[in-house]
mmCIF file of all heavy atoms in Angstrom:
data_model
loop_
_atom_site.group_PDB
_atom_site.id
_atom_site.type_symbol
_atom_site.label_atom_id
_atom_site.label_comp_id
_atom_site.label_asym_id
_atom_site.label_seq_id
_atom_site.Cartn_x
_atom_site.Cartn_y
_atom_site.Cartn_z
ATOM 1 N N ALA A 1 0.828 -1.182 0.021
ATOM 2 C CA ALA A 1 0.013 -0.001 0.066
ATOM 3 C C ALA A 1 0.868 1.238 0.001
ATOM 4 O O ALA A 1 1.979 1.248 0.397
ATOM 5 C CB ALA A 1 -0.978 0.038 1.241
ATOM 6 N N GLY A 2 0.302 2.352 -0.432
ATOM 7 C CA GLY A 2 0.984 3.598 -0.433
ATOM 8 C C GLY A 2 1.580 3.929 -1.850
ATOM 9 O O GLY A 2 1.570 3.078 -2.698
ATOM 10 N N GLY A 3 2.115 5.090 -1.973
ATOM 11 C CA GLY A 3 2.624 5.494 -3.303
ATOM 12 C C GLY A 3 4.173 5.625 -3.276
ATOM 13 O O GLY A 3 4.798 5.657 -2.153
ATOM 14 N N ARG A 4 4.797 5.676 -4.426
ATOM 15 C CA ARG A 4 6.193 5.883 -4.527
ATOM 16 C C ARG A 4 6.470 6.784 -5.741
ATOM 17 O O ARG A 4 5.663 6.662 -6.733
ATOM 18 C CB ARG A 4 6.912 4.557 -4.620
ATOM 19 C CG ARG A 4 6.612 3.755 -5.839
ATOM 20 C CD ARG A 4 7.273 2.363 -5.773
ATOM 21 N NE ARG A 4 6.596 1.515 -4.826
ATOM 22 C CZ ARG A 4 6.984 0.307 -4.485
ATOM 23 N NH1 ARG A 4 8.026 -0.197 -5.102
ATOM 24 N NH2 ARG A 4 6.261 -0.449 -3.634
ATOM 25 N N LYS A 5 7.546 7.484 -5.742
ATOM 26 C CA LYS A 5 7.828 8.323 -6.875
ATOM 27 C C LYS A 5 8.713 7.535 -7.862
ATOM 28 O O LYS A 5 9.717 6.906 -7.439
ATOM 29 C CB LYS A 5 8.507 9.650 -6.439
ATOM 30 C CG LYS A 5 8.808 10.620 -7.554
ATOM 31 C CD LYS A 5 9.278 11.964 -7.049
ATOM 32 C CE LYS A 5 8.081 12.747 -6.459
ATOM 33 N NZ LYS A 5 8.476 14.150 -6.159
ATOM 34 N N ARG A 6 8.339 7.562 -9.075
ATOM 35 C CA ARG A 6 9.065 6.805 -10.154
ATOM 36 C C ARG A 6 9.237 7.685 -11.408
ATOM 37 O O ARG A 6 8.360 8.456 -11.701
ATOM 38 C CB ARG A 6 8.329 5.509 -10.529
ATOM 39 C CG ARG A 6 8.397 4.426 -9.483
ATOM 40 C CD ARG A 6 9.701 3.576 -9.745
ATOM 41 N NE ARG A 6 9.744 2.428 -8.911
ATOM 42 C CZ ARG A 6 9.147 1.266 -9.181
ATOM 43 N NH1 ARG A 6 8.504 1.125 -10.328
ATOM 44 N NH2 ARG A 6 9.294 0.246 -8.314
ATOM 45 N N LYS A 7 10.341 7.455 -12.068
ATOM 46 C CA LYS A 7 10.434 7.910 -13.434
ATOM 47 C C LYS A 7 9.783 7.039 -14.397
ATOM 48 O O LYS A 7 10.155 5.858 -14.518
ATOM 49 C CB LYS A 7 11.890 8.189 -13.822
ATOM 50 C CG LYS A 7 12.106 8.808 -15.181
ATOM 51 C CD LYS A 7 13.562 9.004 -15.504
ATOM 52 C CE LYS A 7 13.794 9.685 -16.827
ATOM 53 N NZ LYS A 7 15.183 9.838 -17.171
ATOM 54 N N ILE A 8 8.695 7.468 -15.004
ATOM 55 C CA ILE A 8 7.892 6.624 -15.942
ATOM 56 C C ILE A 8 7.670 7.372 -17.216
ATOM 57 O O ILE A 8 7.938 8.514 -17.372
ATOM 58 C CB ILE A 8 6.594 6.214 -15.304
ATOM 59 C CG1 ILE A 8 5.715 7.442 -15.082
ATOM 60 C CG2 ILE A 8 6.756 5.417 -14.009
ATOM 61 C CD1 ILE A 8 4.319 7.152 -14.521
ATOM 62 N N THR A 9 7.255 6.560 -18.248
ATOM 63 C CA THR A 9 6.784 7.183 -19.483
ATOM 64 C C THR A 9 5.298 6.917 -19.605
ATOM 65 O O THR A 9 4.834 5.766 -19.529
ATOM 66 C CB THR A 9 7.541 6.573 -20.659
ATOM 67 O OG1 THR A 9 8.938 6.859 -20.577
ATOM 68 C CG2 THR A 9 6.988 7.126 -21.983
ATOM 69 N N LEU A 10 4.513 7.957 -19.868
ATOM 70 C CA LEU A 10 3.089 7.923 -19.939
ATOM 71 C C LEU A 10 2.637 8.114 -21.386
ATOM 72 O O LEU A 10 3.193 8.899 -22.118
ATOM 73 C CB LEU A 10 2.537 9.008 -19.094
ATOM 74 C CG LEU A 10 2.795 8.922 -17.568
ATOM 75 C CD1 LEU A 10 3.513 10.158 -17.106
ATOM 76 C CD2 LEU A 10 1.511 8.713 -16.775
ATOM 77 N N LEU A 11 1.588 7.465 -21.707
ATOM 78 C CA LEU A 11 0.912 7.470 -23.017
ATOM 79 C C LEU A 11 -0.591 7.756 -22.875
ATOM 80 O O LEU A 11 -1.226 7.074 -22.102
ATOM 81 C CB LEU A 11 1.205 6.188 -23.796
ATOM 82 C CG LEU A 11 0.498 6.053 -25.194
ATOM 83 C CD1 LEU A 11 1.382 5.136 -26.058
ATOM 84 C CD2 LEU A 11 -0.868 5.513 -25.117
ATOM 85 N N PHE A 12 -1.011 8.750 -23.588
ATOM 86 C CA PHE A 12 -2.438 9.047 -23.736
ATOM 87 C C PHE A 12 -2.847 8.943 -25.173
ATOM 88 O O PHE A 12 -2.150 9.480 -26.034
ATOM 89 C CB PHE A 12 -2.783 10.429 -23.190
ATOM 90 C CG PHE A 12 -2.918 10.521 -21.688
ATOM 91 C CD1 PHE A 12 -1.841 10.697 -20.919
ATOM 92 C CD2 PHE A 12 -4.195 10.522 -21.106
ATOM 93 C CE1 PHE A 12 -1.940 10.834 -19.524
ATOM 94 C CE2 PHE A 12 -4.304 10.596 -19.716
ATOM 95 C CZ PHE A 12 -3.192 10.747 -18.923
ATOM 96 N N SER A 13 -3.933 8.226 -25.443
ATOM 97 C CA SER A 13 -4.444 8.248 -26.842
ATOM 98 C C SER A 13 -5.972 8.527 -26.765
ATOM 99 O O SER A 13 -6.598 8.216 -25.790
ATOM 100 C CB SER A 13 -4.227 6.868 -27.473
ATOM 101 O OG SER A 13 -5.132 5.873 -26.969
ATOM 102 N N ASP A 14 -6.430 9.195 -27.859
ATOM 103 C CA ASP A 14 -7.787 9.573 -27.870
ATOM 104 C C ASP A 14 -8.354 9.588 -29.287
ATOM 105 O O ASP A 14 -7.638 9.974 -30.220
ATOM 106 C CB ASP A 14 -7.937 11.040 -27.284
ATOM 107 C CG ASP A 14 -9.381 11.415 -26.948
ATOM 108 O OD1 ASP A 14 -10.124 10.556 -26.537
ATOM 109 O OD2 ASP A 14 -9.733 12.592 -27.153
ATOM 110 N N ILE A 15 -9.597 9.162 -29.513
ATOM 111 C CA ILE A 15 -10.215 9.212 -30.853
ATOM 112 C C ILE A 15 -10.686 10.621 -31.106
ATOM 113 O O ILE A 15 -11.339 11.258 -30.247
ATOM 114 C CB ILE A 15 -11.366 8.243 -30.908
ATOM 115 C CG1 ILE A 15 -10.893 6.827 -30.727
ATOM 116 C CG2 ILE A 15 -12.066 8.391 -32.285
ATOM 117 C CD1 ILE A 15 -12.083 5.781 -30.682
ATOM 118 N N ARG A 16 -10.306 11.179 -32.213
ATOM 119 C CA ARG A 16 -10.692 12.534 -32.582
ATOM 120 C C ARG A 16 -12.175 12.573 -32.981
ATOM 121 O O ARG A 16 -12.677 11.691 -33.669
ATOM 122 C CB ARG A 16 -9.813 13.059 -33.699
ATOM 123 C CG ARG A 16 -8.404 13.278 -33.281
ATOM 124 C CD ARG A 16 -7.606 13.929 -34.362
ATOM 125 N NE ARG A 16 -6.187 14.029 -33.970
ATOM 126 C CZ ARG A 16 -5.166 13.827 -34.864
ATOM 127 N NH1 ARG A 16 -5.373 13.558 -36.051
ATOM 128 N NH2 ARG A 16 -3.973 13.945 -34.343
ATOM 129 N N ASP A 17 -12.867 13.670 -32.558
ATOM 130 C CA ASP A 17 -14.244 13.888 -32.857
ATOM 131 C C ASP A 17 -15.123 12.708 -32.499
ATOM 132 O O ASP A 17 -16.063 12.371 -33.175
ATOM 133 C CB ASP A 17 -14.385 14.242 -34.323
ATOM 134 C CG ASP A 17 -13.585 15.435 -34.809
ATOM 135 O OD1 ASP A 17 -13.605 16.430 -34.014
ATOM 136 O OD2 ASP A 17 -12.923 15.378 -35.863
ATOM 137 N N PHE A 18 -14.834 12.094 -31.329
ATOM 138 C CA PHE A 18 -15.614 10.921 -30.953
ATOM 139 C C PHE A 18 -17.036 11.239 -30.673
ATOM 140 O O PHE A 18 -17.955 10.483 -30.923
ATOM 141 C CB PHE A 18 -14.955 10.237 -29.799
ATOM 142 C CG PHE A 18 -15.666 9.046 -29.285
ATOM 143 C CD1 PHE A 18 -15.725 7.827 -30.041
ATOM 144 C CD2 PHE A 18 -16.369 9.091 -28.104
ATOM 145 C CE1 PHE A 18 -16.437 6.763 -29.597
ATOM 146 C CE2 PHE A 18 -17.129 8.027 -27.621
ATOM 147 C CZ PHE A 18 -17.148 6.826 -28.371
ATOM 148 N N THR A 19 -17.286 12.418 -30.021
ATOM 149 C CA THR A 19 -18.643 12.761 -29.702
ATOM 150 C C THR A 19 -19.518 12.878 -30.900
ATOM 151 O O THR A 19 -20.626 12.307 -30.877
ATOM 152 C CB THR A 19 -18.638 14.126 -28.939
ATOM 153 O OG1 THR A 19 -17.822 13.995 -27.762
ATOM 154 C CG2 THR A 19 -20.056 14.549 -28.517
ATOM 155 N N ALA A 20 -19.055 13.511 -31.953
ATOM 156 C CA ALA A 20 -19.851 13.558 -33.205
ATOM 157 C C ALA A 20 -20.033 12.215 -33.769
ATOM 158 O O ALA A 20 -21.086 11.865 -34.330
ATOM 159 C CB ALA A 20 -19.120 14.483 -34.217
ATOM 160 N N LEU A 21 -18.989 11.387 -33.742
ATOM 161 C CA LEU A 21 -19.092 9.995 -34.303
ATOM 162 C C LEU A 21 -20.102 9.187 -33.564
ATOM 163 O O LEU A 21 -20.861 8.441 -34.129
ATOM 164 C CB LEU A 21 -17.703 9.334 -34.207
ATOM 165 C CG LEU A 21 -17.599 7.915 -34.686
ATOM 166 C CD1 LEU A 21 -17.840 7.816 -36.141
ATOM 167 C CD2 LEU A 21 -16.270 7.280 -34.301
ATOM 168 N N SER A 22 -20.109 9.335 -32.202
ATOM 169 C CA SER A 22 -20.983 8.518 -31.364
ATOM 170 C C SER A 22 -22.494 8.887 -31.659
ATOM 171 O O SER A 22 -23.347 7.996 -31.479
ATOM 172 C CB SER A 22 -20.731 8.742 -29.913
ATOM 173 O OG SER A 22 -20.988 10.092 -29.459
ATOM 174 N N GLU A 23 -22.715 10.056 -32.038
ATOM 175 C CA GLU A 23 -24.102 10.463 -32.288
ATOM 176 C C GLU A 23 -24.725 9.914 -33.570
ATOM 177 O O GLU A 23 -25.872 9.914 -33.794
ATOM 178 C CB GLU A 23 -24.185 12.002 -32.387
ATOM 179 C CG GLU A 23 -23.955 12.725 -31.025
ATOM 180 C CD GLU A 23 -23.895 14.209 -31.143
ATOM 181 O OE1 GLU A 23 -23.880 14.717 -32.267
ATOM 182 O OE2 GLU A 23 -23.840 14.853 -30.075
ATOM 183 N N THR A 24 -23.793 9.298 -34.389
ATOM 184 C CA THR A 24 -24.237 8.682 -35.674
ATOM 185 C C THR A 24 -24.515 7.226 -35.535
ATOM 186 O O THR A 24 -24.951 6.571 -36.452
ATOM 187 C CB THR A 24 -23.261 8.882 -36.778
ATOM 188 O OG1 THR A 24 -22.021 8.167 -36.466
ATOM 189 C CG2 THR A 24 -22.907 10.379 -36.904
ATOM 190 N N MET A 25 -24.232 6.672 -34.364
ATOM 191 C CA MET A 25 -24.366 5.234 -34.103
ATOM 192 C C MET A 25 -25.442 4.896 -33.151
ATOM 193 O O MET A 25 -25.561 5.575 -32.072
ATOM 194 C CB MET A 25 -23.040 4.576 -33.634
ATOM 195 C CG MET A 25 -21.913 4.642 -34.581
ATOM 196 S SD MET A 25 -20.468 3.838 -33.880
ATOM 197 C CE MET A 25 -19.232 4.158 -35.142
ATOM 198 N N PRO A 26 -26.173 3.803 -33.268
ATOM 199 C CA PRO A 26 -27.126 3.307 -32.256
ATOM 200 C C PRO A 26 -26.232 2.820 -31.101
ATOM 201 O O PRO A 26 -25.090 2.425 -31.274
ATOM 202 C CB PRO A 26 -27.878 2.220 -32.989
ATOM 203 C CG PRO A 26 -27.052 1.749 -34.109
ATOM 204 C CD PRO A 26 -26.259 2.988 -34.524
ATOM 205 N N PRO A 27 -26.812 2.762 -29.880
ATOM 206 C CA PRO A 27 -26.047 2.396 -28.701
ATOM 207 C C PRO A 27 -25.344 1.047 -28.808
ATOM 208 O O PRO A 27 -24.157 0.947 -28.401
ATOM 209 C CB PRO A 27 -27.102 2.402 -27.601
ATOM 210 C CG PRO A 27 -28.162 3.303 -28.054
ATOM 211 C CD PRO A 27 -28.186 3.227 -29.579
ATOM 212 N N ASP A 28 -26.010 0.045 -29.333
ATOM 213 C CA ASP A 28 -25.340 -1.290 -29.406
ATOM 214 C C ASP A 28 -24.181 -1.292 -30.331
ATOM 215 O O ASP A 28 -23.144 -1.870 -30.040
ATOM 216 C CB ASP A 28 -26.373 -2.360 -29.784
ATOM 217 C CG ASP A 28 -27.078 -2.094 -31.144
ATOM 218 O OD1 ASP A 28 -27.020 -0.890 -31.524
ATOM 219 O OD2 ASP A 28 -27.637 -3.045 -31.669
ATOM 220 N N ARG A 29 -24.253 -0.589 -31.490
ATOM 221 C CA ARG A 29 -23.159 -0.470 -32.409
ATOM 222 C C ARG A 29 -22.023 0.332 -31.820
ATOM 223 O O ARG A 29 -20.836 0.032 -32.051
ATOM 224 C CB ARG A 29 -23.671 0.134 -33.696
ATOM 225 C CG ARG A 29 -22.545 0.384 -34.761
ATOM 226 C CD ARG A 29 -21.754 -0.861 -35.074
ATOM 227 N NE ARG A 29 -20.549 -0.581 -35.818
ATOM 228 C CZ ARG A 29 -19.444 -1.244 -35.756
ATOM 229 N NH1 ARG A 29 -19.289 -2.212 -34.859
ATOM 230 N NH2 ARG A 29 -18.359 -0.941 -36.496
ATOM 231 N N LEU A 30 -22.406 1.375 -31.094
ATOM 232 C CA LEU A 30 -21.336 2.189 -30.485
ATOM 233 C C LEU A 30 -20.505 1.410 -29.504
ATOM 234 O O LEU A 30 -19.258 1.496 -29.541
ATOM 235 C CB LEU A 30 -21.969 3.361 -29.743
ATOM 236 C CG LEU A 30 -21.005 4.353 -29.074
ATOM 237 C CD1 LEU A 30 -20.052 4.941 -30.023
ATOM 238 C CD2 LEU A 30 -21.770 5.383 -28.238
ATOM 239 N N VAL A 31 -21.156 0.636 -28.591
ATOM 240 C CA VAL A 31 -20.429 -0.223 -27.661
ATOM 241 C C VAL A 31 -19.529 -1.243 -28.410
ATOM 242 O O VAL A 31 -18.391 -1.462 -28.069
ATOM 243 C CB VAL A 31 -21.401 -0.877 -26.668
ATOM 244 C CG1 VAL A 31 -20.655 -1.898 -25.859
ATOM 245 C CG2 VAL A 31 -22.087 0.148 -25.771
ATOM 246 N N SER A 32 -20.093 -1.881 -29.391
ATOM 247 C CA SER A 32 -19.388 -2.888 -30.116
ATOM 248 C C SER A 32 -18.183 -2.260 -30.837
ATOM 249 O O SER A 32 -17.048 -2.776 -30.841
ATOM 250 C CB SER A 32 -20.291 -3.470 -31.161
ATOM 251 O OG SER A 32 -19.555 -4.364 -32.055
ATOM 252 N N PHE A 33 -18.336 -1.032 -31.357
ATOM 253 C CA PHE A 33 -17.258 -0.287 -32.031
ATOM 254 C C PHE A 33 -16.112 0.036 -31.109
ATOM 255 O O PHE A 33 -14.946 -0.207 -31.418
ATOM 256 C CB PHE A 33 -17.841 0.926 -32.710
ATOM 257 C CG PHE A 33 -16.750 1.937 -33.157
ATOM 258 C CD1 PHE A 33 -16.117 1.719 -34.306
ATOM 259 C CD2 PHE A 33 -16.450 3.024 -32.391
ATOM 260 C CE1 PHE A 33 -15.146 2.605 -34.768
ATOM 261 C CE2 PHE A 33 -15.476 3.902 -32.795
ATOM 262 C CZ PHE A 33 -14.815 3.722 -34.000
ATOM 263 N N ILE A 34 -16.479 0.565 -29.895
ATOM 264 C CA ILE A 34 -15.460 0.907 -28.934
ATOM 265 C C ILE A 34 -14.698 -0.327 -28.488
ATOM 266 O O ILE A 34 -13.455 -0.287 -28.332
ATOM 267 C CB ILE A 34 -16.154 1.608 -27.744
ATOM 268 C CG1 ILE A 34 -16.483 3.045 -28.145
ATOM 269 C CG2 ILE A 34 -15.128 1.645 -26.556
ATOM 270 C CD1 ILE A 34 -15.265 3.958 -28.444
ATOM 271 N N ASN A 35 -15.430 -1.435 -28.268
ATOM 272 C CA ASN A 35 -14.738 -2.665 -27.802
ATOM 273 C C ASN A 35 -13.823 -3.189 -28.946
ATOM 274 O O ASN A 35 -12.705 -3.643 -28.585
ATOM 275 C CB ASN A 35 -15.788 -3.714 -27.485
ATOM 276 C CG ASN A 35 -16.495 -3.439 -26.193
ATOM 277 O OD1 ASN A 35 -16.088 -2.627 -25.351
ATOM 278 N ND2 ASN A 35 -17.671 -4.055 -26.013
ATOM 279 N N GLU A 36 -14.216 -3.094 -30.189
ATOM 280 C CA GLU A 36 -13.389 -3.512 -31.254
ATOM 281 C C GLU A 36 -12.070 -2.708 -31.354
ATOM 282 O O GLU A 36 -11.042 -3.201 -31.715
ATOM 283 C CB GLU A 36 -14.121 -3.372 -32.605
ATOM 284 C CG GLU A 36 -15.208 -4.413 -32.841
ATOM 285 C CD GLU A 36 -15.932 -4.125 -34.170
ATOM 286 O OE1 GLU A 36 -15.231 -3.706 -35.133
ATOM 287 O OE2 GLU A 36 -17.174 -4.332 -34.195
ATOM 288 N N TYR A 37 -12.187 -1.431 -30.933
ATOM 289 C CA TYR A 37 -11.020 -0.573 -30.992
ATOM 290 C C TYR A 37 -10.147 -0.738 -29.715
ATOM 291 O O TYR A 37 -8.911 -0.858 -29.857
ATOM 292 C CB TYR A 37 -11.486 0.902 -31.034
ATOM 293 C CG TYR A 37 -10.417 1.922 -30.724
ATOM 294 C CD1 TYR A 37 -9.368 2.214 -31.698
ATOM 295 C CD2 TYR A 37 -10.339 2.558 -29.527
ATOM 296 C CE1 TYR A 37 -8.396 3.104 -31.404
ATOM 297 C CE2 TYR A 37 -9.369 3.504 -29.214
ATOM 298 C CZ TYR A 37 -8.376 3.752 -30.186
ATOM 299 O OH TYR A 37 -7.352 4.660 -29.950
ATOM 300 N N LEU A 38 -10.751 -0.774 -28.536
ATOM 301 C CA LEU A 38 -10.029 -0.826 -27.369
ATOM 302 C C LEU A 38 -9.321 -2.195 -27.047
ATOM 303 O O LEU A 38 -8.226 -2.194 -26.461
ATOM 304 C CB LEU A 38 -10.868 -0.462 -26.121
ATOM 305 C CG LEU A 38 -11.352 0.962 -26.032
ATOM 306 C CD1 LEU A 38 -12.350 1.114 -24.821
ATOM 307 C CD2 LEU A 38 -10.181 1.957 -25.928
ATOM 308 N N ASP A 39 -9.905 -3.191 -27.504
ATOM 309 C CA ASP A 39 -9.356 -4.541 -27.246
ATOM 310 C C ASP A 39 -7.914 -4.689 -27.853
ATOM 311 O O ASP A 39 -6.982 -5.073 -27.149
ATOM 312 C CB ASP A 39 -10.279 -5.647 -27.699
ATOM 313 C CG ASP A 39 -9.815 -7.051 -27.360
ATOM 314 O OD1 ASP A 39 -9.668 -7.360 -26.152
ATOM 315 O OD2 ASP A 39 -9.469 -7.801 -28.256
ATOM 316 N N PRO A 40 -7.790 -4.455 -29.162
ATOM 317 C CA PRO A 40 -6.374 -4.607 -29.712
ATOM 318 C C PRO A 40 -5.466 -3.559 -29.175
ATOM 319 O O PRO A 40 -4.251 -3.847 -29.004
ATOM 320 C CB PRO A 40 -6.615 -4.491 -31.200
ATOM 321 C CG PRO A 40 -7.852 -3.713 -31.356
ATOM 322 C CD PRO A 40 -8.743 -4.166 -30.230
ATOM 323 N N MET A 41 -5.985 -2.362 -28.916
ATOM 324 C CA MET A 41 -5.012 -1.283 -28.351
ATOM 325 C C MET A 41 -4.520 -1.722 -26.974
ATOM 326 O O MET A 41 -3.364 -1.497 -26.609
ATOM 327 C CB MET A 41 -5.771 0.003 -28.260
ATOM 328 C CG MET A 41 -6.210 0.525 -29.665
ATOM 329 S SD MET A 41 -4.868 0.600 -30.890
ATOM 330 C CE MET A 41 -5.830 0.817 -32.395
ATOM 331 N N SER A 42 -5.391 -2.275 -26.155
ATOM 332 C CA SER A 42 -4.967 -2.733 -24.798
ATOM 333 C C SER A 42 -3.913 -3.838 -24.915
ATOM 334 O O SER A 42 -2.970 -3.850 -24.158
ATOM 335 C CB SER A 42 -6.137 -3.279 -24.064
ATOM 336 O OG SER A 42 -7.203 -2.272 -23.918
ATOM 337 N N GLU A 43 -4.122 -4.755 -25.851
ATOM 338 C CA GLU A 43 -3.174 -5.877 -26.059
ATOM 339 C C GLU A 43 -1.814 -5.402 -26.430
ATOM 340 O O GLU A 43 -0.842 -5.867 -26.025
ATOM 341 C CB GLU A 43 -3.714 -6.865 -27.079
ATOM 342 C CG GLU A 43 -4.891 -7.709 -26.633
ATOM 343 C CD GLU A 43 -4.514 -8.580 -25.452
ATOM 344 O OE1 GLU A 43 -3.468 -9.251 -25.422
ATOM 345 O OE2 GLU A 43 -5.279 -8.536 -24.426
ATOM 346 N N ILE A 44 -1.832 -4.350 -27.298
ATOM 347 C CA ILE A 44 -0.515 -3.752 -27.686
ATOM 348 C C ILE A 44 0.238 -3.199 -26.504
ATOM 349 O O ILE A 44 1.398 -3.389 -26.329
ATOM 350 C CB ILE A 44 -0.757 -2.674 -28.798
ATOM 351 C CG1 ILE A 44 -1.160 -3.320 -30.060
ATOM 352 C CG2 ILE A 44 0.481 -1.811 -28.998
ATOM 353 C CD1 ILE A 44 -1.667 -2.372 -31.133
#
């Protein structure tokens, strides 16, 4: 438990214009789409 200070390298990634994109998809397709994207990115 507790924190420690470390020198690390951080990565942030984000889909551009995702809000506009999400408005064009029905909810079930949106969830499927995000999972299709996040799963391989996580594995990498």
